[in-house]
Amino acid sequence: MLAEETLIPLEPNAFRALTASKKFNETSNKLLDLAYSEDGNGLLVSAEDVILVYDLHDGSKSKPVECKKYGVDRLEYLTSETCVHSDTKTGNVVRLLNITKKSYIKYFHGHTEKIIAIRSNPKSRERFISSSFDGSIRMFDSRTFDYYGFIHTAHPALIAFDPEGLLFATATKSETIRLFDVRSFDLGPFQVFRLQKNDNDEWSNIEFSSCGKFILVSTKGEVIKWVDAFTGVVVHEFKGHKNPNKIDLRATVSSGSGYVMVGSADRNIYVYSTENGSLVCKLPTPYVEPSHVVSFNPKQFLLTSLGRDVILWAPSEEYNNEH
């Protein structure tokens, strides 16, 4: 179904050619989170009490994993056969699931309030970190039972690893970004950025660019911030998309770090250029609700959006034939 990125140039016309090539509406549940496998061929989507499973090599769906006992909220791929997720019942337990066997392997305790995010280390995917409304970040290794690291953030934190897995970022109070070295996180952050704010928008997600030089900050407002990861300077503020109801919008950055995508209340996905901050194009979606989560595949030229349905976006056949 999908072409490797090496065969498709990361240029504006490729993004303008993105079309909704596959649409899945297997559940009426709210779609909450998604995660790609390390090779980019697997996709998991959490939907309250079920995990939807897709094979992106051919764009097919697999049998979903029922999670009715615990529910499923935040999730992250680890190995090709395992993932971790938080639940919707207590919200503060991380559960390690064998996807193929559809059975739980172990549970990770420690948080006392709802989990905000789970992120695996891209260079050591058995290791992951989680953040919670209890004002803590915990480091886990899926091969053991207990957490091996703890950071008290005082405030709920957004989290993200850099592409090399050497450092991770935290964002608190919608204004402060801290950078930690994975090898010496217990010594505290080695860099702290307090961004100049000219709005009251609450931050909803952070993500490193694939080059590691920038941090993408999603918000519940109508602006996305493109932050220099070395200086903390806001290089661009992407504006144009609509979010009057101030829902959590999770933007994404393409491989190559050249383009940012985000959903909008006007039934479009906006594509911005990180080179100059301008709007490249709008991709019309087939449902009324905004695409609250969009995520660019790290290995293939593919965009996944979550709204009412799960939609896989790939360049049109006409574009592929021309290139």
Side-chain angles (χ1 to χ4, degrees), residues 29-309:
N29 293 352
K30 184 178 180 180
L31 306 177
L32 300 174
D33 198 7
L34 66 80
Y36 292 113
S37 61
E38 184 176 12
D39 62 7
N41 286 328
L43 171 67
L44 301 177
V45 175
S46 62
E48 297 184 330
D49 61 6
V50 64
I51 297 176
L52 308 177
V53 184
Y54 303 96
D55 183 345
L56 300 181
H57 183 71
D58 58 7
S60 63
K61 61 182 180 180
S62 303
K63 187 176 181 180
V65 181
E66 299 289 344
C67 304
K68 295 188 182 300
K69 183 176 181 180
Y70 303 113
V72 55
D73 190 358
R74 306 298 100 182
L75 87 166
E76 178 71 304
Y77 244 116
L78 296 187
T79 68
S80 60
E81 295 185 344
T82 61
C83 72
V84 285
H85 72 80
S86 64
D87 59 60
T88 57
K89 305 301 182 184
T90 65
N92 57 19
V93 178
V94 180
R95 304 179 190 276
L96 176 63
L97 173 71
N98 185 300
I99 304 165
T100 54
K101 294 181 179 179
K102 297 179 172 56
S103 61
Y104 287 102
I105 301 171
K106 62 182 71 170
Y107 306 146
F108 300 95
H109 298 273
H111 288 300
T112 57
E113 294 186 41
K114 183 180 178 180
I115 291 169
I116 299 169
I118 306 172
R119 298 287 182 263
S120 63
N121 187 313
K123 298 301 182 181
S124 179
R125 293 185 68 97
E126 294 90 351
R127 293 192 167 198
F128 62 93
I129 60 177
S130 58
S131 63
S132 165
F133 282 103
D134 62 15
S136 75
I137 295 172
R138 295 176 187 266
M139 292 80 169
F140 295 97
D141 189 320
S142 62
R143 296 162 293 191
T144 65
F145 279 90
D146 203 4
Y147 60 90
Y148 66 87
F150 172 89
I151 296 175
H152 179 63
T153 58
H155 303 279
L158 306 172
I159 51 177
F161 274 105
D162 85 310
E164 298 303 317
L166 297 177
L167 60 90
F168 62 89
T170 70
T172 55
K173 299 178 67 176
S174 297
E175 64 179 8
T176 304
I177 295 176
R178 293 177 172 85
L179 302 181
F180 293 82
D181 189 312
V182 169
R183 297 158 295 187
S184 56
F185 62 85
D186 53 323
L187 299 179
F190 65 85
Q191 187 68 270
V192 179
F193 303 129
R194 287 183 172 83
L195 276 60
Q196 292 288 334
K197 285 179 64 71
N198 53 11
D199 56 59
N200 294 316
D201 293 334
E202 183 179 348
W203 296 0
S204 54
N205 192 62
I206 58 172
E207 175 185 342
F208 273 92
S209 63
S210 61
C211 66
K213 297 179 180 179
F214 301 94
I215 298 173
L216 179 67
V217 179
S218 303
T219 78
K220 294 184 179 181
E222 297 181 338
V223 61
I224 305 167
K225 302 178 188 297
W226 188 242
V227 180
D228 188 304
F230 297 100
T231 65
V233 172
V234 179
V235 180
H236 295 303
E237 288 191 335
F238 304 110
K239 298 179 180 180
H241 57 284
K242 310 301 179 185
N243 190 18
N245 295 325
K246 295 190 177 299
I247 67 170
D248 282 4
L249 288 181
R250 189 192 308 177
T252 188
V253 56
S254 69
S255 298
S257 310
Y259 301 88
V260 164
M261 290 136 279
V262 67
S264 175
D266 61 6
R267 302 176 63 178
N268 289 294
I269 293 174
Y270 281 59
V271 181
Y272 298 102
S273 167
T274 62
E275 182 178 357
N276 53 29
S278 64
L279 178 66
V280 174
C281 63
K282 301 178 188 179
L283 306 174
T285 62
Y287 41 72
V288 176
E289 300 87 348
S291 300
H292 55 281
V293 176
V294 294
S295 183
F296 199 82
N297 191 300
K299 300 295 184 181
Q300 306 181 50
F301 200 104
L302 168 76
L303 177 70
T304 302
S305 65
L306 304 183
R308 177 185 299 173
D309 307 316

